[in-house]
Amino acid sequence: MTETKIPEAELLALATRALARGGMPEAEAAEAARVLVLADMFGLRTHGISRVAQYLERVKLGGINAQAKVEVTRVAPGLSMVDGQNGVGTLVGMRALRAATESAREVGVGAAFARGSNHFGPVLPYAFLAAQEGFASFIASNATTTIAPWGGKDTRVGNNPMGIGMPNPGGDPIILDMALSVAARAKIRKLAEHGAPMPEGWATDAEGQPTTDPVRALKGFLLPVGGHKGYGLAVMVDLLAGLLSGAAYLTHVQAWDKNPGVAQNLGHVFVLIDTSRMQAQEWLRERMADFGGILRSTPPADPAAPVMAPGDREMATYGRSQRDGVVVATADLQAVEALARG
């Protein structure tokens, strides 16, 4: 796979033009594109500009409304409800983040629950933007069902992403961004294409039995991290992001790959905490420096692989992206360029 480096500003402008050509108002297109570009800057290519073509194809099929007017209603000083009106998910996510930010800035803690949304990218960009403004965060979304309830043999639960972010006035924030399966279906699909075996514990076959055959695994379902504990986390994320937001949940969520012309009605939850209300920033700076130092100074089992805090690898990639340009797959870039030309 060939790769291309492109400056952040150029990539953002290109993705914005592509989304605008696809029907989004330019200001909204820029908001939506920012999440995707940040994903690529962190090295999360599966959730970066490669998604532009997918989103716009669903727009053509009627599955996403590019002209959606996202509605935000403040129902309490620290609580907002967001109706995405079936808009592009990254736009809905940015509007929910803004609503939670405004509440947290006013009263110390802010929460926003979004419904009527679509794929909103990875959690990391939102948590990073929140951390840059001094907010700790809990952010999560529900997703298409790919996981079976623990002990079952039918998919009823989504591989629901969740993340927790902590700002760091003295350096990079510490951010956890994770989905709740052991491995992504994309990794299993790649093994199947190459005829390679799959590690045990990634997925089961259609009967719920463990398998190392990726072809059989693709007909089955993903296994959650930590067994029943990961299953429990996936359920609780859906209760917050899906059920409590008023969005679809569990099997009510439409699969975008199977029904691309149908609204998914995904739900998201954003909870932000204004750390400046708790103590002076110097206090947080000192404690974060000590906390990170304790983790990273741990003697490594492999001298070539130093101990890292959550998000360290992605933050290092972000720094290189800012300095040297964003590395993207050439094919993805060419696809966005073609869409930007209209």
Side-chain angles (χ1 to χ4, degrees):
M1 179 178 64
T2 59
E3 298 175 335
T4 303
K5 281 186 181 179
I6 179 172
E8 173 188 358
E10 188 176 336
L11 185 61
L12 179 59
L14 188 64
T16 298
R17 285 200 303 275
L19 290 170
R21 287 279 190 178
M24 294 187 73
E26 189 167 353
E28 283 85 347
E31 285 185 81
R34 189 178 186 195
V35 176
L36 302 178
V37 170
L38 280 172
D40 277 317
M41 294 183 74
F42 289 123
L44 307 175
R45 289 192 197 170
T46 56
H47 289 56
I49 62 163
S50 62
R51 293 282 181 161
V52 172
Q54 178 197 111
Y55 294 170
L56 294 184
E57 180 61 24
R58 291 196 61 217
V59 168
K60 289 180 182 179
L61 296 172
I64 293 177
N65 179 10
Q67 299 286 324
K69 302 298 182 184
V70 180
E71 296 180 357
V72 179
T73 304
R74 182 80 71 89
V75 297
L79 179 61
S80 295
M81 300 298 288
V82 180
D83 187 342
Q85 299 286 323
N86 196 35
V88 171
T90 51
L91 173 63
V92 180
M94 286 293 282
R95 293 294 171 83
L97 175 65
R98 183 193 302 173
T101 298
E102 290 173 354
S103 288
R105 188 171 284 120
E106 291 176 20
V107 299
V109 178
F113 291 79
R115 65 182 184 274
S117 188
N118 291 282
H119 180 268
F120 83 153
V123 168
L124 185 54
Y126 302 106
F128 175 73
L129 292 171
Q132 284 186 313
E133 297 189 46
F135 298 102
S137 62
F138 169 78
I139 302 168
S141 175
N142 64 0
T144 304
T145 56
T146 53
I147 295 174
W150 191 247
K153 61 173 187 177
D154 186 26
T155 55
R156 300 291 174 92
V157 185
N159 188 12
N160 303 326
M162 58 170 285
I164 300 172
M166 180 64 68
N168 181 10
D172 292 331
I174 294 179
I175 300 174
L176 171 70
D177 177 0
M178 60 181 286
L180 294 174
S181 67
V182 175
R185 283 182 66 84
K187 290 185 178 180
I188 298 174
R189 193 175 294 112
K190 189 173 183 180
L191 291 175
E193 290 170 356
H194 290 84
M198 181 185 71
E200 189 174 348
W202 279 20
T204 73
D205 61 19
E207 295 300 314
Q209 299 303 310
T211 182
T212 58
D213 182 346
V215 175
R216 293 176 65 190
L218 290 172
K219 297 176 182 178
F221 45 84
L222 302 177
L223 286 171
V225 293
H228 66 281
K229 296 179 180 179
Y231 159 61
L233 279 173
V235 168
M236 299 313 294
V237 165
D238 206 353
L239 283 169
L240 288 172
L243 185 140
L244 198 56
S245 70
Y249 50 84
L250 300 178
T251 55
H252 296 307
V253 174
Q254 292 290 326
W256 69 264
D257 54 340
K258 296 176 182 176
N259 301 303
V262 178
Q264 283 193 282
N265 191 18
L266 291 182
H268 320 309
V269 56
F270 291 74
V271 179
L272 269 59
I273 301 165
D274 185 355
T275 61
S276 68
R277 299 289 193 100
M278 303 172 76
Q279 291 284 350
Q281 290 299 285
E282 187 57 34
W283 173 85
L284 182 59
R285 184 193 316 272
E286 291 175 358
R287 289 177 65 81
M288 285 295 289
D290 180 56
F291 192 100
I294 292 172
L295 293 178
R296 298 181 184 102
S297 65
T298 305
D302 178 357
V307 174
M308 293 185 288
D312 277 1
R313 183 177 288 105
E314 289 79 7
M315 290 307 307
T317 303
Y318 176 79
R320 289 193 298 271
S321 297
Q322 282 192 308
R323 183 179 64 250
D324 305 327
V326 188
V327 179
V328 296
T330 303
D332 291 340
L333 183 61
Q334 291 172 341
V336 173
E337 287 173 337
L339 290 166
R341 289 192 297 268

PDB file of all heavy atoms in Angstrom, residues 232-261:
ATOM      1  N   GLY A 232     -20.366  -6.837  29.663  1.00  0.00           N
ATOM      2  CA  GLY A 232     -21.066  -5.935  30.572  1.00  0.00           C
ATOM      3  C   GLY A 232     -20.823  -4.478  30.238  1.00  0.00           C
ATOM      4  O   GLY A 232     -21.742  -3.651  30.264  1.00  0.00           O
ATOM      5  N   LEU A 233     -19.582  -4.142  29.906  1.00  0.00           N
ATOM      6  CA  LEU A 233     -19.272  -2.764  29.521  1.00  0.00           C
ATOM      7  C   LEU A 233     -20.031  -2.359  28.256  1.00  0.00           C
ATOM      8  O   LEU A 233     -20.559  -1.246  28.159  1.00  0.00           O
ATOM      9  CB  LEU A 233     -17.764  -2.608  29.291  1.00  0.00           C
ATOM     10  CG  LEU A 233     -16.884  -2.409  30.515  1.00  0.00           C
ATOM     11  CD1 LEU A 233     -15.416  -2.441  30.121  1.00  0.00           C
ATOM     12  CD2 LEU A 233     -17.215  -1.084  31.210  1.00  0.00           C
ATOM     13  N   ALA A 234     -20.067  -3.252  27.268  1.00  0.00           N
ATOM     14  CA  ALA A 234     -20.776  -2.958  26.018  1.00  0.00           C
ATOM     15  C   ALA A 234     -22.259  -2.702  26.278  1.00  0.00           C
ATOM     16  O   ALA A 234     -22.859  -1.800  25.684  1.00  0.00           O
ATOM     17  CB  ALA A 234     -20.600  -4.108  25.028  1.00  0.00           C
ATOM     18  N   VAL A 235     -22.840  -3.492  27.168  1.00  0.00           N
ATOM     19  CA  VAL A 235     -24.253  -3.304  27.517  1.00  0.00           C
ATOM     20  C   VAL A 235     -24.471  -1.953  28.179  1.00  0.00           C
ATOM     21  O   VAL A 235     -25.405  -1.205  27.842  1.00  0.00           O
ATOM     22  CB  VAL A 235     -24.736  -4.440  28.436  1.00  0.00           C
ATOM     23  CG1 VAL A 235     -26.098  -4.110  29.049  1.00  0.00           C
ATOM     24  CG2 VAL A 235     -24.816  -5.745  27.655  1.00  0.00           C
ATOM     25  N   MET A 236     -23.606  -1.606  29.130  1.00  0.00           N
ATOM     26  CA  MET A 236     -23.792  -0.355  29.863  1.00  0.00           C
ATOM     27  C   MET A 236     -23.575   0.862  28.975  1.00  0.00           C
ATOM     28  O   MET A 236     -24.263   1.885  29.134  1.00  0.00           O
ATOM     29  CB  MET A 236     -22.865  -0.315  31.080  1.00  0.00           C
ATOM     30  CG  MET A 236     -23.104  -1.440  32.086  1.00  0.00           C
ATOM     31  SD  MET A 236     -24.853  -1.728  32.521  1.00  0.00           S
ATOM     32  CE  MET A 236     -25.250  -0.195  33.374  1.00  0.00           C
ATOM     33  N   VAL A 237     -22.624   0.776  28.033  1.00  0.00           N
ATOM     34  CA  VAL A 237     -22.439   1.876  27.084  1.00  0.00           C
ATOM     35  C   VAL A 237     -23.706   2.080  26.271  1.00  0.00           C
ATOM     36  O   VAL A 237     -24.149   3.217  26.047  1.00  0.00           O
ATOM     37  CB  VAL A 237     -21.234   1.611  26.162  1.00  0.00           C
ATOM     38  CG1 VAL A 237     -21.251   2.550  24.954  1.00  0.00           C
ATOM     39  CG2 VAL A 237     -19.923   1.780  26.926  1.00  0.00           C
ATOM     40  N   ASP A 238     -24.325   0.984  25.829  1.00  0.00           N
ATOM     41  CA  ASP A 238     -25.543   1.099  25.025  1.00  0.00           C
ATOM     42  C   ASP A 238     -26.700   1.672  25.844  1.00  0.00           C
ATOM     43  O   ASP A 238     -27.543   2.413  25.326  1.00  0.00           O
ATOM     44  CB  ASP A 238     -25.929  -0.256  24.437  1.00  0.00           C
ATOM     45  CG  ASP A 238     -26.738  -0.131  23.153  1.00  0.00           C
ATOM     46  OD1 ASP A 238     -27.111   0.997  22.792  1.00  0.00           O
ATOM     47  OD2 ASP A 238     -26.975  -1.156  22.502  1.00  0.00           O
ATOM     48  N   LEU A 239     -26.752   1.340  27.126  1.00  0.00           N
ATOM     49  CA  LEU A 239     -27.803   1.903  27.976  1.00  0.00           C
ATOM     50  C   LEU A 239     -27.666   3.421  28.071  1.00  0.00           C
ATOM     51  O   LEU A 239     -28.663   4.149  28.040  1.00  0.00           O
ATOM     52  CB  LEU A 239     -27.744   1.280  29.376  1.00  0.00           C
ATOM     53  CG  LEU A 239     -28.313  -0.136  29.492  1.00  0.00           C
ATOM     54  CD1 LEU A 239     -27.966  -0.742  30.844  1.00  0.00           C
ATOM     55  CD2 LEU A 239     -29.823  -0.116  29.295  1.00  0.00           C
ATOM     56  N   LEU A 240     -26.444   3.913  28.176  1.00  0.00           N
ATOM     57  CA  LEU A 240     -26.216   5.356  28.266  1.00  0.00           C
ATOM     58  C   LEU A 240     -26.335   6.035  26.908  1.00  0.00           C
ATOM     59  O   LEU A 240     -27.083   6.997  26.742  1.00  0.00           O
ATOM     60  CB  LEU A 240     -24.828   5.627  28.856  1.00  0.00           C
ATOM     61  CG  LEU A 240     -24.635   5.345  30.342  1.00  0.00           C
ATOM     62  CD1 LEU A 240     -23.168   5.468  30.707  1.00  0.00           C
ATOM     63  CD2 LEU A 240     -25.463   6.307  31.185  1.00  0.00           C
ATOM     64  N   ALA A 241     -25.563   5.526  25.932  1.00  0.00           N
ATOM     65  CA  ALA A 241     -25.490   6.188  24.629  1.00  0.00           C
ATOM     66  C   ALA A 241     -26.715   5.931  23.769  1.00  0.00           C
ATOM     67  O   ALA A 241     -27.149   6.814  23.023  1.00  0.00           O
ATOM     68  CB  ALA A 241     -24.235   5.719  23.883  1.00  0.00           C
ATOM     69  N   GLY A 242     -27.285   4.748  23.852  1.00  0.00           N
ATOM     70  CA  GLY A 242     -28.418   4.392  23.018  1.00  0.00           C
ATOM     71  C   GLY A 242     -29.755   4.602  23.692  1.00  0.00           C
ATOM     72  O   GLY A 242     -30.549   5.452  23.298  1.00  0.00           O
ATOM     73  N   LEU A 243     -30.010   3.846  24.737  1.00  0.00           N
ATOM     74  CA  LEU A 243     -31.325   3.892  25.379  1.00  0.00           C
ATOM     75  C   LEU A 243     -31.622   5.256  26.001  1.00  0.00           C
ATOM     76  O   LEU A 243     -32.675   5.851  25.757  1.00  0.00           O
ATOM     77  CB  LEU A 243     -31.415   2.795  26.442  1.00  0.00           C
ATOM     78  CG  LEU A 243     -32.779   2.644  27.115  1.00  0.00           C
ATOM     79  CD1 LEU A 243     -33.127   1.184  27.329  1.00  0.00           C
ATOM     80  CD2 LEU A 243     -32.798   3.376  28.460  1.00  0.00           C
ATOM     81  N   LEU A 244     -30.704   5.785  26.816  1.00  0.00           N
ATOM     82  CA  LEU A 244     -30.980   7.016  27.553  1.00  0.00           C
ATOM     83  C   LEU A 244     -31.025   8.241  26.646  1.00  0.00           C
ATOM     84  O   LEU A 244     -31.704   9.228  26.958  1.00  0.00           O
ATOM     85  CB  LEU A 244     -29.924   7.210  28.648  1.00  0.00           C
ATOM     86  CG  LEU A 244     -30.271   8.183  29.784  1.00  0.00           C
ATOM     87  CD1 LEU A 244     -31.570   7.784  30.473  1.00  0.00           C
ATOM     88  CD2 LEU A 244     -29.127   8.240  30.793  1.00  0.00           C
ATOM     89  N   SER A 245     -30.353   8.179  25.512  1.00  0.00           N
ATOM     90  CA  SER A 245     -30.335   9.323  24.587  1.00  0.00           C
ATOM     91  C   SER A 245     -31.604   9.408  23.749  1.00  0.00           C
ATOM     92  O   SER A 245     -31.885  10.439  23.137  1.00  0.00           O
ATOM     93  CB  SER A 245     -29.126   9.219  23.651  1.00  0.00           C
ATOM     94  OG  SER A 245     -29.310   8.142  22.741  1.00  0.00           O
ATOM     95  N   GLY A 246     -32.358   8.309  23.686  1.00  0.00           N
ATOM     96  CA  GLY A 246     -33.523   8.251  22.816  1.00  0.00           C
ATOM     97  C   GLY A 246     -33.201   7.687  21.447  1.00  0.00           C
ATOM     98  O   GLY A 246     -34.059   7.673  20.553  1.00  0.00           O
ATOM     99  N   ALA A 247     -31.971   7.196  21.259  1.00  0.00           N
ATOM    100  CA  ALA A 247     -31.554   6.607  19.985  1.00  0.00           C
ATOM    101  C   ALA A 247     -31.976   5.142  19.923  1.00  0.00           C
ATOM    102  O   ALA A 247     -32.587   4.597  20.852  1.00  0.00           O
ATOM    103  CB  ALA A 247     -30.038   6.728  19.833  1.00  0.00           C
ATOM    104  N   ALA A 248     -31.623   4.492  18.819  1.00  0.00           N
ATOM    105  CA  ALA A 248     -31.817   3.043  18.724  1.00  0.00           C
ATOM    106  C   ALA A 248     -30.818   2.352  19.653  1.00  0.00           C
ATOM    107  O   ALA A 248     -29.814   2.941  20.053  1.00  0.00           O
ATOM    108  CB  ALA A 248     -31.622   2.578  17.287  1.00  0.00           C
ATOM    109  N   TYR A 249     -31.085   1.104  19.975  1.00  0.00           N
ATOM    110  CA  TYR A 249     -30.176   0.343  20.831  1.00  0.00           C
ATOM    111  C   TYR A 249     -30.255  -1.131  20.450  1.00  0.00           C
ATOM    112  O   TYR A 249     -31.210  -1.590  19.819  1.00  0.00           O
ATOM    113  CB  TYR A 249     -30.509   0.528  22.311  1.00  0.00           C
ATOM    114  CG  TYR A 249     -31.965   0.323  22.654  1.00  0.00           C
ATOM    115  CD1 TYR A 249     -32.477  -0.955  22.889  1.00  0.00           C
ATOM    116  CD2 TYR A 249     -32.825   1.401  22.723  1.00  0.00           C
ATOM    117  CE1 TYR A 249     -33.811  -1.152  23.187  1.00  0.00           C
ATOM    118  CE2 TYR A 249     -34.172   1.222  23.024  1.00  0.00           C
ATOM    119  CZ  TYR A 249     -34.664  -0.054  23.259  1.00  0.00           C
ATOM    120  OH  TYR A 249     -35.986  -0.249  23.548  1.00  0.00           O
ATOM    121  N   LEU A 250     -29.212  -1.864  20.815  1.00  0.00           N
ATOM    122  CA  LEU A 250     -29.101  -3.297  20.549  1.00  0.00           C
ATOM    123  C   LEU A 250     -29.501  -3.608  19.099  1.00  0.00           C
ATOM    124  O   LEU A 250     -28.976  -3.014  18.168  1.00  0.00           O
ATOM    125  CB  LEU A 250     -29.932  -4.092  21.562  1.00  0.00           C
ATOM    126  CG  LEU A 250     -29.523  -3.907  23.034  1.00  0.00           C
ATOM    127  CD1 LEU A 250     -30.439  -4.713  23.954  1.00  0.00           C
ATOM    128  CD2 LEU A 250     -28.067  -4.280  23.282  1.00  0.00           C
ATOM    129  N   THR A 251     -30.442  -4.532  18.901  1.00  0.00           N
ATOM    130  CA  THR A 251     -30.794  -4.948  17.536  1.00  0.00           C
ATOM    131  C   THR A 251     -31.656  -3.931  16.790  1.00  0.00           C
ATOM    132  O   THR A 251     -31.943  -4.120  15.610  1.00  0.00           O
ATOM    133  CB  THR A 251     -31.534  -6.298  17.567  1.00  0.00           C
ATOM    134  OG1 THR A 251     -32.668  -6.196  18.437  1.00  0.00           O
ATOM    135  CG2 THR A 251     -30.613  -7.405  18.065  1.00  0.00           C
ATOM    136  N   HIS A 252     -32.053  -2.845  17.445  1.00  0.00           N
ATOM    137  CA  HIS A 252     -32.795  -1.792  16.746  1.00  0.00           C
ATOM    138  C   HIS A 252     -31.863  -0.931  15.884  1.00  0.00           C
ATOM    139  O   HIS A 252     -32.335  -0.183  15.032  1.00  0.00           O
ATOM    140  CB  HIS A 252     -33.532  -0.899  17.746  1.00  0.00           C
ATOM    141  CG  HIS A 252     -34.594  -1.608  18.525  1.00  0.00           C
ATOM    142  ND1 HIS A 252     -35.598  -2.347  17.920  1.00  0.00           N
ATOM    143  CD2 HIS A 252     -34.818  -1.692  19.858  1.00  0.00           C
ATOM    144  CE1 HIS A 252     -36.390  -2.857  18.850  1.00  0.00           C
ATOM    145  NE2 HIS A 252     -35.935  -2.478  20.034  1.00  0.00           N
ATOM    146  N   VAL A 253     -30.568  -1.019  16.143  1.00  0.00           N
ATOM    147  CA  VAL A 253     -29.600  -0.250  15.354  1.00  0.00           C
ATOM    148  C   VAL A 253     -29.462  -0.884  13.971  1.00  0.00           C
ATOM    149  O   VAL A 253     -29.248  -2.095  13.846  1.00  0.00           O
ATOM    150  CB  VAL A 253     -28.215  -0.225  16.046  1.00  0.00           C
ATOM    151  CG1 VAL A 253     -27.182   0.451  15.157  1.00  0.00           C
ATOM    152  CG2 VAL A 253     -28.309   0.500  17.393  1.00  0.00           C
ATOM    153  N   GLN A 254     -29.573  -0.074  12.938  1.00  0.00           N
ATOM    154  CA  GLN A 254     -29.432  -0.559  11.566  1.00  0.00           C
ATOM    155  C   GLN A 254     -27.948  -0.695  11.205  1.00  0.00           C
ATOM    156  O   GLN A 254     -27.140   0.157  11.556  1.00  0.00           O
ATOM    157  CB  GLN A 254     -30.101   0.403  10.585  1.00  0.00           C
ATOM    158  CG  GLN A 254     -31.610   0.441  10.700  1.00  0.00           C
ATOM    159  CD  GLN A 254     -32.239  -0.845  10.201  1.00  0.00           C
ATOM    160  OE1 GLN A 254     -31.759  -1.483   9.272  1.00  0.00           O
ATOM    161  NE2 GLN A 254     -33.344  -1.236  10.815  1.00  0.00           N
ATOM    162  N   ALA A 255     -27.603  -1.763  10.509  1.00  0.00           N
ATOM    163  CA  ALA A 255     -26.226  -1.974  10.053  1.00  0.00           C
ATOM    164  C   ALA A 255     -25.986  -1.179   8.777  1.00  0.00           C
ATOM    165  O   ALA A 255     -26.636  -1.434   7.766  1.00  0.00           O
ATOM    166  CB  ALA A 255     -25.967  -3.463   9.814  1.00  0.00           C
ATOM    167  N   TRP A 256     -25.042  -0.248   8.800  1.00  0.00           N
ATOM    168  CA  TRP A 256     -24.814   0.611   7.631  1.00  0.00           C
ATOM    169  C   TRP A 256     -24.332  -0.183   6.429  1.00  0.00           C
ATOM    170  O   TRP A 256     -24.633   0.153   5.279  1.00  0.00           O
ATOM    171  CB  TRP A 256     -23.810   1.715   7.965  1.00  0.00           C
ATOM    172  CG  TRP A 256     -22.404   1.225   8.180  1.00  0.00           C
ATOM    173  CD1 TRP A 256     -21.812   0.928   9.369  1.00  0.00           C
ATOM    174  CD2 TRP A 256     -21.425   0.968   7.175  1.00  0.00           C
ATOM    175  NE1 TRP A 256     -20.531   0.489   9.185  1.00  0.00           N
ATOM    176  CE2 TRP A 256     -20.255   0.506   7.836  1.00  0.00           C
ATOM    177  CE3 TRP A 256     -21.403   1.076   5.791  1.00  0.00           C
ATOM    178  CZ2 TRP A 256     -19.093   0.154   7.161  1.00  0.00           C
ATOM    179  CZ3 TRP A 256     -20.247   0.720   5.114  1.00  0.00           C
ATOM    180  CH2 TRP A 256     -19.112   0.270   5.789  1.00  0.00           C
ATOM    181  N   ASP A 257     -23.586  -1.280   6.670  1.00  0.00           N
ATOM    182  CA  ASP A 257     -23.047  -2.040   5.545  1.00  0.00           C
ATOM    183  C   ASP A 257     -24.104  -2.938   4.903  1.00  0.00           C
ATOM    184  O   ASP A 257     -24.025  -3.249   3.714  1.00  0.00           O
ATOM    185  CB  ASP A 257     -21.835  -2.874   5.991  1.00  0.00           C
ATOM    186  CG  ASP A 257     -22.136  -3.778   7.177  1.00  0.00           C
ATOM    187  OD1 ASP A 257     -23.115  -3.517   7.907  1.00  0.00           O
ATOM    188  OD2 ASP A 257     -21.389  -4.749   7.376  1.00  0.00           O
ATOM    189  N   LYS A 258     -25.116  -3.333   5.677  1.00  0.00           N
ATOM    190  CA  LYS A 258     -26.183  -4.183   5.138  1.00  0.00           C
ATOM    191  C   LYS A 258     -27.365  -3.355   4.619  1.00  0.00           C
ATOM    192  O   LYS A 258     -28.031  -3.746   3.669  1.00  0.00           O
ATOM    193  CB  LYS A 258     -26.659  -5.167   6.212  1.00  0.00           C
ATOM    194  CG  LYS A 258     -25.591  -6.155   6.650  1.00  0.00           C
ATOM    195  CD  LYS A 258     -26.085  -7.041   7.769  1.00  0.00           C
ATOM    196  CE  LYS A 258     -24.997  -8.002   8.236  1.00  0.00           C
ATOM    197  NZ  LYS A 258     -25.433  -8.813   9.403  1.00  0.00           N
ATOM    198  N   ASN A 259     -27.633  -2.230   5.281  1.00  0.00           N
ATOM    199  CA  ASN A 259     -28.749  -1.365   4.889  1.00  0.00           C
ATOM    200  C   ASN A 259     -28.260   0.082   4.780  1.00  0.00           C
ATOM    201  O   ASN A 259     -28.649   0.946   5.589  1.00  0.00           O
ATOM    202  CB  ASN A 259     -29.882  -1.451   5.918  1.00  0.00           C
ATOM    203  CG  ASN A 259     -30.419  -2.861   6.083  1.00  0.00           C
ATOM    204  OD1 ASN A 259     -30.862  -3.471   5.115  1.00  0.00           O
ATOM    205  ND2 ASN A 259     -30.360  -3.387   7.289  1.00  0.00           N
ATOM    206  N   PRO A 260     -27.385   0.377   3.824  1.00  0.00           N
ATOM    207  CA  PRO A 260     -26.776   1.712   3.748  1.00  0.00           C
ATOM    208  C   PRO A 260     -27.756   2.842   3.485  1.00  0.00           C
ATOM    209  O   PRO A 260     -27.460   4.000   3.782  1.00  0.00           O
ATOM    210  CB  PRO A 260     -25.774   1.578   2.599  1.00  0.00           C
ATOM    211  CG  PRO A 260     -26.315   0.465   1.751  1.00  0.00           C
ATOM    212  CD  PRO A 260     -26.935  -0.496   2.719  1.00  0.00           C
ATOM    213  N   GLY A 261     -28.926   2.526   2.950  1.00  0.00           N
ATOM    214  CA  GLY A 261     -29.904   3.565   2.656  1.00  0.00           C
ATOM    215  C   GLY A 261     -30.887   3.823   3.773  1.00  0.00           C
ATOM    216  O   GLY A 261     -31.821   4.611   3.606  1.00  0.00           O
TER     217      GLY A 261
END
